[in-house]
Amino acid sequence: MRRSIVSSLLASLTFGSAIPSGGKKHHGIEPDDFVYVDGLRLKDSNGLHYLTGLNYWACMNLAADDSQGGNITRLKIELDQMAAKGVNHLRIMAASEGAPTPQPFRMNPALLEAPGKYNEKIFEGLDRCLDEMSKRSMRATMTLGNEWQWSGGFAQFVSWAENNEPIPYPSSWNLSAPPQRETPRTGWGSYTVEGINAAPYNEFTSFANLIYDNMQAEEWFKDHIKVVMNRRNTVNGRIYNDDPTIMTWELANEPQAANPLGYTGPYNMYLIPNPNDMLFPWVERISTYIRSMAPKQLITVGMESKQGEYYFKKVHNFSTVDYATTHCWVQNWAIYDMYDSSEGNLRQAEDFARAFVRNSSQWSLDIGKPLFLEEFGMARDNWENRNKEYPYLSSASTSHKDAYFETIIGAAMDEFKNGGAYVGTCPWAYGGVWRPETQYINDFGMVWAGDPPHESPGWYDLYDTDEAMNILSRQQKNIAAWIKENKDY
Ligand SMILES: *[C@@H]1O[C@H](CO)[C@@H](O)[C@H](O)[C@H]1NC(C)=O
Ligand SMILES: *[C@@H]1O[C@H](CO)[C@@H](O)[C@H](O)[C@H]1NC(C)=O
Ligand SMILES: *[C@@H]1O[C@H](CO)[C@@H](O)[C@H](O)[C@H]1NC(C)=O
Ligand SMILES: *[C@@H]1O[C@H](CO)[C@@H](O)[C@H](O)[C@H]1NC(C)=O
């Protein structure tokens, strides 16, 4: 749409802050405008702060220079796309671990190549990522560790501490495995255990969870936390722990219980409580350590909270944990089937999500802390891809996904408006301009889809042209209008 100069001028007089030359947007986040917790709510200098988030874990790699496989053009296009939809929060990685031995299925190049040894160019990518986010008034969750193999994570620290002991890997997505397309380096690949020290998932998590009890691994993990929190941003000069762009330090992505007494659901869901689980003192030690260096920023753990009420409350009740989190994964937890087009399949997913949101909101109310739904996703209508060359083609429609997103995002907004604990949602994960059909594996073995390197690319991606992005945009507008009407709330 073209607008006349006169109407643009009028608009700039009326809505000054939306025009880049004038108001707040241009300057980005002010140096002292930290997000803080007030009872069950997050606030900033404008009052209530609701999180319209997206997972964008690869930000530091995309923002690194092209000698490291980055693409700053793509980064800026995608940040602009997300900002245009009202996204005000990105959950990103502030850690990734490589190894002296070649390791598959993970972000490459890594930020931390070996204990104490950084790839400065990837760190500069993280600097640029934060600076570009700040310009667009987007805040960050900085994820400091990972239970899973796709960034190195716990298992890599344990391996380092144990003389590079081989990591027992679960079956993961191998881009070079059959079936291969005609053009080299364009996929597809499959889940394989070829070429790795293969093990079942529980063996992998047991290995990763040794970090809770391995003092050398913990020391190196804490060293990383210290370095990243005290870093001076080479683009804008801000010290990370004094930069309000960073809303939150998150201990790790999806830390798991170490000593469960049993599972009462699939996929390690609903644990029989074990008060002596080593996860608990680990959360207390690490969050206390972070607090000592981040008095102005928030801390959360990064739990899925699938483990049930006891674990939820125990993990999030420490005074050094500012708010709680949930992740909701209906397909991974065997509640939804991406090949089943039936209404019943969708309804089952929606019912689960509503109950999960309602239950967790109550648990969080009980301990008096805000709650952020920081991961959820659904595949496209992949029954349409069943007899095609790849099960995750972007050409499939998104009827179930859109309905599901409306439901789960709506459930969290309803909790927010009605005194529940939820303060925002953050779907998984932004793939932006990337598509499986046009993917190209770079010199570092990466395609940078929304799906991380151990999973099939295109499974949970949100693309720039997806209806889901309009759902996020409507969420943001709906909440902004509600906050305006309920200023005294
Ligand atoms: C970087 O991203 C832009 C925008 O998506 C794309 O046109 C370009 O081909 C990418 N460059 C590389 C080296 O992949
Ligand atoms: C991946 O697949 C290729 C091709 O089949 C194979 O050579 C390699 O060992 C596999 N595993 C890894 C970790 O690359
Ligand atoms: C949470 O901590 C408070 C204060 O230490 C304590 O009174 C309360 O019992 C704890 N709640 C749970 C569920 O652990
Ligand atoms: C929610 O809580 C109820 C009551 O404890 C329980 O029966 C139900 O399974 C829970 N649902 C989910 C999805 O957590």
Side-chain angles (χ1 to χ4, degrees):
M1 289 287 125
R2 289 183 57 183
R3 270 158 96 205
S4 72
I5 290 171
V6 174
S7 72
S8 311
L9 268 175
L10 279 176
S12 75
L13 290 173
T14 326
F15 306 108
S17 69
I19 303 297
S21 60
K24 217 167 173 355
K25 286 236 160 95
H26 182 64
H27 300 292
I29 298 166
E30 298 295 337
D32 56 354
D33 192 8
F34 289 89
V35 173
Y36 59 96
V37 170
D38 183 11
L40 289 169
R41 292 293 171 256
L42 300 179
K43 291 188 174 166
D44 63 17
S45 61
N46 293 318
L48 282 175
H49 185 84
Y50 191 84
L51 304 169
T52 302
L54 265 176
N55 280 282
Y56 197 54
W57 51 269
C59 199
M60 66 179 168
N61 287 79
L62 287 172
D65 77 37
D66 50 13
S67 72
Q68 304 297 308
N71 188 335
I72 296 166
T73 309
R74 176 179 166 190
L75 170 89
K76 289 184 179 174
I77 289 171
E78 293 185 344
L79 290 176
D80 284 343
Q81 289 172 339
M82 291 187 272
K85 297 296 182 183
V87 170
N88 64 5
H89 193 94
L90 299 181
R91 180 166 174 259
I92 64 178
M93 291 307 295
S96 68
E97 293 77 28
T101 50
Q103 297 293 337
F105 316 133
R106 65 171 74 176
M107 296 168 73
N108 190 34
L111 178 61
L112 185 63
E113 294 167 349
K117 186 167 180 282
Y118 285 92
N119 180 330
E120 176 59 21
K121 288 218 160 17
I122 300 298
F123 236 146
E124 286 164 10
L126 189 54
D127 296 340
R128 185 175 294 113
C129 170
L130 288 169
D131 184 63
E132 295 293 335
M133 284 175 63
S134 177
K135 284 184 195 157
R136 292 164 179 80
S137 297
M138 291 167 154
R139 318 264 185 173
T141 291
M142 299 281 269
T143 308
L144 294 165
N146 201 345
E147 176 82 25
W148 310 116
Q149 68 269 39
W150 55 269
S151 65
F154 291 176
Q156 184 57 62
F157 280 105
V158 170
S159 173
W160 278 333
E162 298 292 339
N163 297 311
N164 295 322
E165 187 178 330
I167 297 168
Y169 283 109
S171 166
S172 304
W173 190 263
N174 182 341
L175 277 166
S176 352
Q180 286 294 299
R181 297 164 87 188
E182 243 166 67
T183 310
R185 295 167 83 166
T186 60
W188 305 109
S190 54
Y191 285 98
T192 64
V193 292
E194 205 190 322
I196 58 174
N197 175 29
Y201 242 106
N202 59 355
E203 208 172 295
F204 171 75
T205 50
S206 299
F207 184 86
N209 290 342
L210 293 174
I211 197 172
Y212 302 143
D213 196 27
N214 183 312
M215 286 307 114
Q216 178 61 79
E218 179 162 324
E219 199 180 309
W220 283 332
F221 179 49
K222 283 162 79 178
D223 285 348
H224 172 64
I225 292 174
K226 188 174 177 182
V227 168
V228 73
M229 293 187 70
N230 289 288
R231 180 172 171 87
R232 181 185 290 276
N233 189 311
T234 56
V235 180
N236 61 26
R238 289 180 176 180
I239 307 287
Y240 277 25
N241 67 3
D242 199 29
D243 181 357
T245 310
I246 296 173
M247 181 181 104
T248 302
W249 297 103
E250 178 167 297
L251 271 58
N253 177 51
E254 302 188 342
Q256 303 292 306
N259 318 95
L261 295 178
Y263 302 106
T264 62
Y267 299 94
N268 300 356
M269 281 177 76
Y270 309 131
L271 304 191
I272 299 166
N274 179 0
N276 299 316
D277 198 302
M278 284 191 299
L279 172 66
F280 305 130
W282 180 83
V283 167
E284 187 170 27
R285 286 197 306 278
I286 304 297
S287 60
T288 302
Y289 184 68
I290 295 173
R291 175 62 84 229
S292 72
M293 291 180 289
K296 300 178 187 170
Q297 294 155 323
L298 306 181
I299 300 173
T300 194
V301 181
M303 294 284 287
E304 302 137 292
S305 300
K306 65 181 180 184
Q307 295 84 356
E309 179 173 1
Y310 179 85
Y311 276 78
F312 179 96
K313 289 184 173 174
K314 188 122 176 152
V315 157
H316 293 121
N317 200 37
F318 295 113
S319 63
T320 43
V321 174
D322 295 296
Y323 64 87
T325 60
T326 47
H327 299 183
C328 184
W329 285 111
V330 285
Q331 183 181 340
N332 307 57
W333 299 344
I335 295 141
Y336 177 78
D337 174 0
M338 72 170 188
Y339 288 127
D340 179 352
S341 65
S342 74
E343 273 296 305
N345 183 34
L346 172 62
R347 200 165 317 114
Q348 197 162 288
E350 292 180 318
D351 288 348
F352 178 90
R354 268 192 226 96
F356 185 72
V357 165
R358 198 183 324 115
N359 288 358
S360 50
S361 183
Q362 184 58 51
W363 302 338
S364 216
L365 276 173
D366 291 347
I367 58 167
K369 294 191 185 183
L371 176 54
F372 181 25
L373 176 58
E374 58 165 34
E375 273 190 26
F376 61 96
M378 182 171 276
R380 307 177 86 77
D381 294 343
N382 284 339
W383 56 85
E384 294 173 6
N385 288 332
R386 242 192 152 152
N387 300 313
K388 299 200 178 148
E389 54 178 328
Y390 186 58
Y392 304 95
L393 294 175
S394 68
S395 52
S397 57
T398 53
S399 66
H400 276 194
K401 180 170 182 154
D402 297 341
Y404 179 71
F405 271 44
E406 294 276 9
T407 296
I408 191 166
I409 287 173
M413 290 199 313
D414 286 348
E415 291 294 330
F416 177 77
K417 292 176 181 174
N418 297 310
Y422 274 93
V423 293
T425 56
C426 187
W428 184 266
Y430 200 55
V433 300
W434 179 86
R435 298 290 186 280
E437 291 84 346
T438 52
Q439 72 186 343
Y440 186 77
I441 302 167
N442 74 14
D443 292 345
F444 300 90
M446 296 289 115
V447 294
W448 302 125
D451 298 283
H454 72 313
E455 283 177 341
S456 38
W459 186 7
Y460 288 127
D461 276 80
L462 301 188
Y463 302 130
D464 52 352
T465 50
D466 275 350
E467 178 57 20
M469 294 305 293
N470 297 326
I471 297 171
L472 298 198
S473 173
R474 289 197 293 275
Q475 159 195 22
Q476 190 274 330
K477 291 199 171 98
N478 177 315
I479 287 289
W482 186 91
I483 289 176
K484 217 168 158 191
E485 278 167 29
N486 294 271
K487 268 206 155 33
D488 304 328
Y489 176 68

